[in-house]
Amino acid sequence: MSGVGRLKFKGEKSKKKKRSHREKRDDGDELDALAREDPRGWMFPAKSDEVTGPTLVLLPTEPLSCLAWDPTRERVCAAPLDLPEAPEGFNELSPSEVLSFVEPSDVNHVWVVSRLAGSNGVSLRSATGGFLSALPSGKLDVSASRGPLESFITEVIPSDSAFPGFALKSEPSGKFLLADKPDKETVLAKKTEIRCDGDEPQGGIRVKCQREFVLKVRLQQLDGKDSSKRRLLEPDGPEEGSVEDELRRNSQYQAWGGGVHKVSDKDRRELKRAKKDGRVAEAMLDRRSKMKR
């Protein structure tokens, strides 16, 4: 009897279909969640037009490095990054976790991306005020003024990993940013060769932007669909009970001497025991409740 559903009796209540947790949240929910996080935190933009504001360009070297300006030697370089480490007693971070948590460790690692009026291009300004420039030879330099050679096209490209790839293309020449993959000693010595003369984008290059700038772009793209979301741009503290709230409380009550976190040996033993027993989440909630008293 195809096409015949289950019979229903008079007075029987219909069961509401539960929404699967796998269903994609709408844009409003995603924006609310994004606004609750630290606005100065770093995230991967999903689209090319979200690449704006303070930006970290990650290069596919081992160890991980970034596109940077060396003010001492006055040259563009690939600077090695201070990589995040797992807490004591936990397994080492995976490459994906390192990418998730890595942040700039020097102001010269950051480029401020600005959209150019009347063009699809952007400029990248260093911490010292100069603009990234791609010379006709493919060499990267920094110029005191902004002209055609300082105009780039940003492209967010598909990737095999959980994080999108990124391509930086010189607008005048149409050539792409490339980074050599030397040995560890060469990377640490800031001698990795980087140029802008590639015919195709290089895999493994990624970009992270500050969360508040990505949020602003996404709100602007609403185009009046939900004006109430504009409140998300208003400065506010982290939501009570969120991870950011816990980190703030840790900094306030458990850190001193330059913001160094101090955890007692007793607390460390309790957390290790909780991890072994499979109740880390319960232990962390207990610690959080004590901090709120």
Side-chain angles (χ1 to χ4, degrees):
M1 297 176 62
S2 60
V4 179
R6 175 182 175 275
L7 294 177
K8 295 176 64 176
F9 297 93
K10 185 177 180 180
E12 182 180 359
K13 295 183 178 180
S14 300
K15 292 184 178 180
K16 293 183 178 180
K17 184 179 179 181
K18 292 184 178 180
R19 182 179 178 181
S20 171
H21 69 281
R22 294 183 180 180
E23 290 184 31
K24 187 177 181 180
R25 297 179 298 179
D26 59 31
D27 292 340
D29 292 336
E30 291 181 355
L31 290 174
D32 284 327
L34 186 61
R36 285 195 294 268
E37 299 188 52
D38 181 7
R40 292 168 296 180
W42 297 82
M43 64 175 290
F44 291 96
K47 301 177 182 178
S48 298
D49 55 5
E50 293 177 359
V51 181
T52 183
T55 300
L56 174 68
V57 180
L58 300 170
L59 303 175
T61 58
E62 183 61 42
L64 194 64
S65 64
C66 68
L67 183 70
W69 170 245
D70 187 339
T72 303
R73 300 178 182 178
E74 295 188 341
R75 65 183 182 92
V76 178
C77 67
L81 289 161
D82 293 338
L83 302 182
E85 296 181 356
E88 183 180 349
F90 289 80
N91 296 330
E92 292 185 3
L93 298 179
S94 67
S96 294
E97 289 172 326
V98 170
L99 284 174
S100 295
F101 297 121
V102 70
E103 295 184 353
S105 46
D106 189 294
V107 68
N108 293 300
H109 295 170
V110 178
W111 301 86
V112 179
V113 174
S114 301
R115 298 283 158 183
L116 300 176
S119 168
N120 293 325
V122 300
S123 64
L124 288 83
R125 179 167 51 84
S126 70
T128 56
F131 296 92
L132 184 67
S133 178
L135 304 181
S137 63
K139 180 183 177 182
L140 288 170
D141 201 354
V142 163
S143 173
S145 59
R146 186 164 50 185
L149 296 180
E150 288 70 50
S151 179
F152 295 86
I153 302 294
T154 57
E155 298 180 6
V156 174
I157 55 180
S159 171
D160 294 334
S161 72
F163 310 109
F166 173 73
L168 187 67
K169 180 172 66 174
S170 169
E171 189 171 22
S173 68
K175 299 295 185 178
F176 291 92
L177 171 70
L178 299 177
D180 193 14
K181 296 183 179 181
D183 54 33
K184 180 178 180 180
E185 289 71 21
T186 303
V187 174
L188 295 178
K190 296 184 180 181
K191 293 183 179 180
T192 303
E193 184 178 2
I194 46 177
R195 300 177 60 81
C196 193
D197 57 3
D199 294 327
E200 296 180 356
Q202 180 181 16
I205 297 179
R206 308 186 194 283
V207 65
K208 298 184 82 170
C209 299
Q210 281 196 329
R211 190 173 286 111
E212 64 176 310
F213 290 88
V214 176
L215 175 61
K216 287 179 181 178
V217 172
R218 294 184 181 180
L219 288 173
Q220 291 169 357
Q221 291 174 345
L222 289 176
D223 195 23
K225 295 177 183 177
D226 189 353
S227 59
S228 65
K229 294 298 179 184
R230 300 292 175 184
R231 63 179 171 76
L232 299 178
L233 291 176
E234 298 176 1
D236 197 3
E239 182 182 26
E240 184 175 359
S242 66
V243 174
E244 286 71 25
D245 181 49
E246 183 172 347
L247 291 174
R248 179 183 62 80
R249 291 174 182 272
N250 281 342
S251 298
Q252 183 176 355
Y253 299 113
Q254 294 186 345
W256 62 87
V260 178
H261 291 270
K262 303 292 183 180
V263 182
S264 67
D265 292 337
K266 179 181 177 182
D267 287 342
R268 290 183 185 276
R269 288 195 298 270
E270 289 180 354
L271 287 175
K272 287 184 179 180
R273 190 180 302 114
K275 179 187 175 184
K276 184 177 180 180
D277 297 340
R279 51 182 183 84
V280 176
E282 180 183 346
M284 292 302 295
L285 286 173
D286 183 58
R287 284 173 55 81
R288 186 184 300 178
S289 64
K290 291 179 181 178
M291 290 167 60
K292 291 181 179 180
R293 294 174 185 172

